[in-house]
Amino acid sequence: QVQLVESGGGSVQAGGSLKLSCIGSGDIFPRCGMGWYRQAPGKEREMVSEISNVGERDYAEAVKGRFTISQAIDKNMVFLEMRNLKTEDTGVYFCTARFWNGLFCAPQYYGQGTQVTVSS
């Protein structure tokens, strides 16, 4: 089992910044990467950003140029620095730990989530 704990969410005005952090524990060592997903009210969960163990990064189009993912592999931590936040960034942000499923490096575990609210 893997446990993931997020922190750093909060309420900001549009244009503001937040930095999310996530620390993993348990059987997380075999992971191939970590990442962040989010879920807005009434919408499905969506990928925000992912990072592999070798530092390859991927971003959703909606956040490119505004969000930056980073990690501290030795500490089992992943971060998401969010700048120029928009109201549409509002949602619950979930940390993920990704493992090989035979075909892909895919999210297998999620944290409880941290709320991000951006007001106009």
Side-chain angles (χ1 to χ4, degrees):
Q1 286 294 318
V2 171
Q3 295 78 44
L4 300 165
V5 179
E6 304 96 337
S7 61
S11 296
V12 296
Q13 288 192 323
S17 300
L18 283 173
K19 185 174 182 178
L20 306 182
S21 300
C22 171
I23 185 166
S25 60
D27 297 328
I28 196 172
F29 177 76
R31 71 186 183 279
C32 52
M34 297 184 76
W36 292 93
Y37 277 60
R38 70 184 179 190
Q39 188 166 18
K43 295 188 177 181
E44 294 191 357
R45 191 174 297 186
E46 62 178 358
M47 190 276 287
V48 176
S49 184
E50 293 180 321
I51 187 167
S52 73
N53 284 353
V54 296
E56 296 169 326
R57 295 168 169 82
D58 192 20
Y59 295 95
E61 284 296 325
V63 307
K64 281 183 179 178
R66 300 187 297 120
F67 291 12
T68 302
I69 192 169
S70 60
Q71 64 185 343
I73 290 182
D74 58 333
K75 296 181 175 64
N76 297 327
M77 296 189 73
V78 65
F79 309 94
L80 187 68
E81 188 167 1
M82 305 183 293
R83 297 179 297 275
N84 191 21
L85 282 159
K86 303 177 180 181
T87 55
E88 52 263 43
D89 295 318
T90 294
V92 180
Y93 283 69
F94 300 90
C95 174
T96 74
R98 301 158 60 210
F99 291 78
W100 285 107
N101 63 7
L103 292 174
F104 306 107
C105 180
Q108 185 169 335
Y109 296 93
Y110 292 86
Q112 293 295 309
T114 185
Q115 177 70 44
V116 171
T117 302
V118 184
S119 59
S120 59

